[in-house]
């Protein structure tokens, strides 16, 4: 929808928020329909009732606009924190459920496919889309692992590689299946996959048991 133009003065915060929402909605439609290279910033601006200059002033680049669209799709899917009284396995299962629910949404499957197919032409897009800030699930995993490390439940020198390992173990195969339209993961199958990924991950990073008496 077009944003009514004001006669003068600085825009109100509500008008600023509405314009940002209009830009993101127009950009989402454009990216999903035409991919990254096919989406025109000029067309997005026209659909949002603004100008190309305004979009660049707010988002910095077309790549950052793409990430902002992804962020708007992802953030509502993630809870801020896991239940504090849950066991480590339960926390990882809960985080995994949020990640899979978010990333297997058809819109995010399409966004992920766009990144994969166009990253070689647009390396700035690949770098922006693969940053930790671009995926809320990464911070949730790291928060859970940091608590577990402090409690002595896992062993690691660096949480971030463990986070990436867990993310890829969990997500790579279901996301690839969805992107290829294979539909191999129904509700029960996804639950079994999640449990297997979490259990194998935990088996690999828990502290070794102390040796028994000789």
């Amino acid at each position: 929808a077009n944003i009514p133009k004001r006669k003068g003065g600085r825009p109100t915060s509500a008008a600023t928020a509405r314009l940002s929402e209009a830009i993101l909605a127009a950009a989402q439609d454009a990216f999903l329909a035409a991919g990254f290279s096919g989406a025109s910033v000029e067309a997005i601006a026209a659909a949002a009732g603004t100008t190309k200059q305004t979009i660049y002033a707010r988002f910095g680049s077309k790549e950052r606009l793409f990430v902002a669209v992804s962020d708007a799709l992802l953030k509502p899917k993630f809870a801020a924190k896991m239940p504090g009284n849950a066991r480590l396995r339960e926390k990882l299962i809960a985080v995994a459920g949020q990640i899979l629910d978010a990333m297997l949404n058809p819109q995010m499957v399409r966004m992920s496919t766009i990144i994969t197919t166009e990253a070689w032409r647009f390396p700035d897009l690949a770098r922006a889309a693969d940053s930790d800030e671009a995926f809320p699930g990464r911070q949730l995993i790291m928060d859970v692992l940091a608590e577990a490390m402090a409690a002595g439940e896992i062993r690691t020198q660096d949480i971030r590689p463990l986070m990436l390992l867990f993310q890829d173990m969990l997500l790579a195969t279901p996301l690839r299946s969805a992107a290829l339209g294979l539909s191999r993961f129904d509700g029960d199958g996804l639950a079994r996959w999640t449990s297997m990924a979490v259990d194998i991950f935990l088996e690999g990073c828990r502290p070794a048991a102390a040796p028994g008496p000789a």
Side-chain angles (χ1 to χ4, degrees), residues 85-157:
N85 57 349
R87 297 173 65 87
L88 175 57
R89 184 180 187 275
E90 294 168 345
K91 290 180 181 179
L92 287 175
I93 291 285
V95 170
Q98 292 183 55
I99 290 172
L100 290 169
D101 180 54
M103 290 302 300
L104 297 184
N105 176 288
Q107 293 170 318
M108 281 309 303
V109 172
R110 169 66 176 148
M111 296 285 280
S112 178
T113 301
I114 290 168
I115 295 166
T116 302
T117 56
E118 300 199 51
W120 68 276
R121 291 178 58 197
F122 302 99
D124 286 346
L125 172 64
R127 283 189 288 270
D130 196 49
S131 69
D132 291 350
E133 294 76 15
F135 185 35
R138 288 186 177 182
Q139 189 58 54
L140 277 181
I141 298 169
M142 285 195 285
D143 289 346
V144 170
L145 294 181
E147 291 177 3
M149 185 175 71
E153 295 178 279
I154 62 172
R155 66 180 191 277
T156 183
Q157 298 297 317

Side-chain angles (χ1 to χ4, degrees), residues 6 15 18 22 28-29 46 59 63 67 76 97 106 114 125 129 139 141 155 166 170 172 183 203:
R6 303 178 79 239
R18 286 196 300 271
Q28 178 181 313
D29 290 344
F59 295 95
E63 287 83 0
V67 171
I114 290 168
L125 172 64
Q139 189 58 54
I141 298 169
R155 66 180 191 277
F166 180 71
L170 174 73
S183 302
E203 185 67 24

